[in-house]
């Protein structure tokens, strides 16, 4: 139940973040930057100014507020071999102004102010080790709070066991119907019951916009020609298989050939990491969407303790402060962000993720969801029901796991567009696969489930799920994770969505009334009560009533004001005035009209 207190002060808050000791190491020494595979981006050097330094950096130099020395920052900013630019916009002032008002990056740190302090250092000719050396130099500047190198990122797809080449036989004159292979569309628990959702108003995702953030896509594919918005930010890669496979799962066209997406009526677009830092691409996607829309993050990178072998130790990107801020920015705008947990076979509850690698003082491990919470829905990879990969819904060995993981999707045997292993030939617009995999294939399934719910809510004239409510419902419904030998369900990847449960839960409506608080007012006095922790998706009406009978004239007046304290919760302020010259007792009553 929501809690109430008299408004003599703000509600108790957690202790503000404590400072962290600056380290000279800008990255984990065990992190490496191997030769880049397809669908990947090179390392990124990020520098963060002190919040009070008033930095202004242009392509030709840097300035700071009086009293702040620039040191090596000025030298590097003026060096034509490097380019320093604000990470989140054309200028620091515009970044500060663009963030939702009152949104915070961390306790007490405004989101816009934090974002404006982040810069990307572009050094096209620099190696990974040279970027580390640059970060160390930048950390000597008094105006620099943090500098770190993000290892190269890639798409979280598993290609072991896949054919080495595409099918060489040309496609037939008409592509067969592959929808029978799309078991993830089937009834729960094997699938998410998308076929049932299609029978519900809005259940195909009508009115919902989705942006997939990764590298390349083939929007000319024969099964991706309806409800696709194309590339909206960045420059697409020529390697299009991965993005094409993702689009097919979510938005494959309704026709007699190939596959059908989970939500074919949703409009899906793309924002590319190919020429743009990951945080910039995420923010660009958020600027093109609105409340209830969805961003998908098809990316992971090597975290602390990664051994440099394949994708071992790769983790969800929200762990890096700039990506965290970009996700937070989207969530504060009411956009549901779905993020791959990564294929690193790591326990994201591990204390190794608590340590800062040259990050700003406000940073805390967002996998804990205590002092920092990105607000994203994090997705793990589960086994499909075939039994070929272990028990249905059990954690696949490569999938990261932990308390932060909210839901799972199929991490193997996904039939969709692209790759050419199921149907190949010389024309890539006709390619299909029957083994898309990884948290790459799992995350689009969760996106499709959320889009189906948002479409159903829009069709019913209801507000869309907020990011927090989407996460809550995904955790409260669905088909439970199962044990596998050596991979017990305690290694959490969450439940597989079940739309036959999820849509009714989102549409459920309950009503009730109650008395939240009582008090007393002196003659002609005014007092204010606040009550906090109310779920923001509830529809609540407040009334104040005198309980001291005195007929003949009005005794009190009242007004209600509302604070959206977070994405998940609202605070109500009820101000009551005694209109008489004698004391009066009052009570505050609420009516929940729907939730």
């Amino acid at each position: 139940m929501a809690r109430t207190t008299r408004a003599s002060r703000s509600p108790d808050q957690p202790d503000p973040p404590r400072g962290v000791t600056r380290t000279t190491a800008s990255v984990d020494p065990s992190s490496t930057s191997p030769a880049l595979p397809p669908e990947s981006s090179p390392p990124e050097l990020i520098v963060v100014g002190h919040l009070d330094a008033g930095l202004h950096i242009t392509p030709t130099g840097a300035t700071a507020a009086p009293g702040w020395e620039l040191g090596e920052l000025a030298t590097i900013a003026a060096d034509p071999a490097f380019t320093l630019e604000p990470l989140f916009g054309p200028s620091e002032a515009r970044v500060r102004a663009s963030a939702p008002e009152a949104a915070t990056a961390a306790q007490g740190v405004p989101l816009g102010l934090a974002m404006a302090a982040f810069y990307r250092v572009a050094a096209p000719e620099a190696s990974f080790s040279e970027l580390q050396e640059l970060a160390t130099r930048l950390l000597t500047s008094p105006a620099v709070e943090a500098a770190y190198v993000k290892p190269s990122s890639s798409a979280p797809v598993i290609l072991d066991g896949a054919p080495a080449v595409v099918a060489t036989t040309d496609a037939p004159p008409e592509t067969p119907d592959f929808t029978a292979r799309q078991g993830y569309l089937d009834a729960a628990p094997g699938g998410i019951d998308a076929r049932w959702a299609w029978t519900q108003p809005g259940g195909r995702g009508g009115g919902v916009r989705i942006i997939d953030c990764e590298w390349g896509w083939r929007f000319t594919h024969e099964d991706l020609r309806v409800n696709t918005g194309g590339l909206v930010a960045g420059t697409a890669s020529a390697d299009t298989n991965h993005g094409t496979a993702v689009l097919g799962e979510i938005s494959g066209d309704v026709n007699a050939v190939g596959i059908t997406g989970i939500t074919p009526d949703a409009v899906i677009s793309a924002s590319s990491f190919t020429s743009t830092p990951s945080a910039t691409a995420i923010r660009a996607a958020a600027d093109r969407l609105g409340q209830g829309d969805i961003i998908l993050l098809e990316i992971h990178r090597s975290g602390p303790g990664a051994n440099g072998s394949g994708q071992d130790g790769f983790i969800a990107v929200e762990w890096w402060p700039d990506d965290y801020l970009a996700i937070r920015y989207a969530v504060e705008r009411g956009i549901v962000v779905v993020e791959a947990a990564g294929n690193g076979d790591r326990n994201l509850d591990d204390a190794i993720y608590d340590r800062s690698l040259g990050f700003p003082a406000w940073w805390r491990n967002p996998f804990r969801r205590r002092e920092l919470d990105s607000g994203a829905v994090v997705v793990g990879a589960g086994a499909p029901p075939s039994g070929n990969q272990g028990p249905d819904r059990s954690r696949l060995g490569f999938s990261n796991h932990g308390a932060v993981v909210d839901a799972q999707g199929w991490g193997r045997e996904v039939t969709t567009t692209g790759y050419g292993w199921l149907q190949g030939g010389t024309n890539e617009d006709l390619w299909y696969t029957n083994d898309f995999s990884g948290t790459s294939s799992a995350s689009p399934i969760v996106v499709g489930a959320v889009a189906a719910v948002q479409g159903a809510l829009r069709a019913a004239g209801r507000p869309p799920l907020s990011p927090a409510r989407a996460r809550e419902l995904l955790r409260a419904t669905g088909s439970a994770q199962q044990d596998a030998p050596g991979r017990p369900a305690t290694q959490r990847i969450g439940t597989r969505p079940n739309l036959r449960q999820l849509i009714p839960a989102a549409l459920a409506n309950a009503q009730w009334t109650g008395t939240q608080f009582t008090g007393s007012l002196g003659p002609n006095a005014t007092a204010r009560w606040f009550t906090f922790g109310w779920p923001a998706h509830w529809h609540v009406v407040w009334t104040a009533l005198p309980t001291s009978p005195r007929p003949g004239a009005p005794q009190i007046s009242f007004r209600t004001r509302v604070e959206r304290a977070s994405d998940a919760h609202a605070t109500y302020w009820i101000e009551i005035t005694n209109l008489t010259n004698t004391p009066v007792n009052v009570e505050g009553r609420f009516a929940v009209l729907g939730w």
Side-chain angles (χ1 to χ4, degrees):
M1 172 57 70
R3 295 163 287 177
T4 307
T5 183
R6 189 150 180 174
S8 58
R9 61 178 180 84
S10 299
D12 290 338
Q13 300 288 352
D15 292 334
R18 299 179 296 278
V20 296
T21 303
R22 176 183 291 183
T23 62
T24 57
S26 55
V27 298
D28 183 352
S30 65
S31 294
T32 59
S33 181
L36 297 181
E39 299 126 354
S40 61
S41 294
E44 300 174 20
L45 171 54
I46 305 297
V47 59
V48 187
H50 274 284
L51 298 180
D52 298 328
L55 286 180
H56 179 56
I57 298 180
T58 69
T60 58
T63 60
W68 286 93
E69 295 182 13
L70 293 174
E72 279 293 288
L73 177 60
T75 302
I76 293 172
D79 190 329
F82 312 118
T83 301
L84 274 72
E85 55 191 8
L87 187 64
F88 292 109
S91 69
E92 297 87 349
R94 286 182 176 271
V95 173
R96 285 192 293 270
S98 67
E101 188 176 356
T104 58
Q107 190 62 42
V109 180
L111 181 61
L113 184 63
M115 292 175 70
F118 276 69
Y119 301 86
R120 174 207 184 192
V121 182
E125 303 301 320
S127 67
F128 187 76
S129 60
E130 288 170 335
L131 290 177
Q132 290 179 282
E133 292 171 4
L134 272 175
T136 301
R137 285 176 58 190
L138 286 163
L139 281 169
T140 66
S141 168
V144 170
E145 180 181 4
Y148 55 93
V149 180
K150 295 161 63 178
S152 57
S153 57
S154 63
V157 63
I158 296 293
L159 298 178
D160 60 338
V165 295
V166 301
T168 57
T169 305
D170 275 344
E174 183 173 85
T175 297
D177 182 351
F178 295 134
T179 55
R181 294 173 175 264
Q182 293 180 267
Y184 53 93
L185 302 176
D186 293 345
I192 66 169
D193 227 332
R195 301 183 198 277
W196 173 84
W198 298 342
T199 68
Q200 308 303 302
R204 292 175 181 260
V208 181
R209 294 178 296 169
I210 302 166
I211 294 183
D212 177 32
C213 294
E214 49 175 291
W215 287 268
W217 307 260
R218 197 166 190 86
F219 286 102
T220 56
H221 193 282
E222 67 168 353
D223 239 347
L224 299 173
R225 295 179 180 174
V226 181
N227 293 325
T228 55
L231 183 69
V232 297
T235 302
S237 167
D239 193 318
T240 61
N241 277 310
H242 187 277
T244 302
V246 167
L247 297 186
E249 283 187 73
I250 301 168
S251 192
D253 296 343
V254 179
N255 51 40
V257 304
I259 55 90
T260 300
I262 297 168
T263 47
D265 290 353
V267 176
I268 193 161
S269 305
S271 180
S272 179
F273 300 134
T274 302
S275 59
T276 308
S278 56
T280 305
I282 297 166
R283 186 251 160 88
D287 284 340
R288 287 160 174 80
L289 297 176
Q291 189 173 17
D293 292 331
I294 304 167
I295 289 175
L296 171 59
L297 303 184
E298 285 282 344
I299 182 174
H300 65 172
R301 63 171 59 89
S302 59
N307 65 16
S309 173
Q311 299 180 57
D312 178 87
F314 277 51
I315 59 174
V317 296
E318 69 175 52
W319 188 78
W320 284 269
D322 56 312
D323 290 315
Y324 165 83
L325 287 178
I327 296 169
R328 193 68 239 162
Y329 174 84
V331 166
E332 289 286 352
R333 293 169 61 90
I335 298 163
V336 179
V337 178
V338 177
E339 176 187 15
N343 298 346
D345 186 21
R346 287 294 189 270
N347 178 6
L348 300 181
D349 297 333
D350 195 307
I352 195 172
Y353 302 114
D354 293 335
R355 61 175 176 151
S356 166
L357 301 180
F359 296 164
W362 53 259
W363 181 88
R364 296 293 183 273
N365 176 9
F367 295 157
R368 300 289 187 201
R369 289 185 175 172
R370 291 198 292 262
E371 292 170 278
L372 295 187
D373 182 352
S374 74
V377 173
V378 179
V379 180
S386 67
N388 299 332
Q389 314 294 334
D392 183 29
R393 306 185 308 282
S394 62
R395 182 180 76 85
L396 290 169
F398 59 79
S399 179
N400 290 333
H401 55 94
V404 73
V405 184
D406 298 295
Q408 63 163 291
W410 283 27
R412 291 281 196 184
E413 302 178 8
V414 168
T415 297
T416 183
T417 44
Y419 287 103
W421 301 327
L422 176 59
Q423 177 172 285
T426 57
N427 186 349
E428 294 184 34
D429 286 342
L430 308 179
W431 282 7
Y432 294 83
T433 179
N434 57 352
D435 196 23
F436 190 41
S437 57
T439 49
S440 279
S441 65
S443 298
I445 289 175
V446 175
V447 168
V450 174
V453 175
Q454 301 291 50
L457 286 166
R458 291 184 189 279
R462 299 276 296 277
L465 298 179
S466 69
R469 182 61 172 160
R471 196 160 75 179
E472 179 183 27
L473 286 180
L474 285 167
R475 283 178 168 254
T477 62
S479 304
Q481 180 180 347
Q482 298 199 99
D483 293 327
R487 300 189 301 276
T490 53
Q491 297 177 344
R492 178 184 170 85
I493 58 169
T495 60
R496 177 181 295 155
N498 177 351
L499 285 167
R500 199 181 289 256
Q501 293 177 357
L502 192 55
I503 289 176
L507 291 171
N509 216 358
Q511 299 181 3
W512 69 95
T513 62
T515 297
Q516 184 66 10
F517 63 88
T518 59
S520 60
L521 293 167
N524 302 304
T526 297
R528 182 188 300 167
W529 285 259
F530 66 76
T531 174
F532 62 100
W534 289 79
H537 65 280
W538 288 7
H539 299 266
V540 184
V541 175
W542 289 92
T543 303
L545 186 76
T547 57
S548 304
R550 182 182 175 180
Q555 291 175 268
I556 64 171
S557 63
F558 70 93
R559 64 174 181 169
T560 304
R561 289 179 285 183
V562 187
E563 172 194 4
R564 185 67 174 259
S566 70
D567 175 49
H569 294 106
T571 299
Y572 295 92
W573 303 77
I574 297 94
E575 185 176 274
I576 306 175
T577 298
N578 183 355
L579 302 177
T580 72
N581 57 8
T582 59
V584 61
N585 295 325
V586 296
E587 64 182 19
R589 297 179 177 180
F590 66 87
V592 177
L593 303 183
W595 62 276

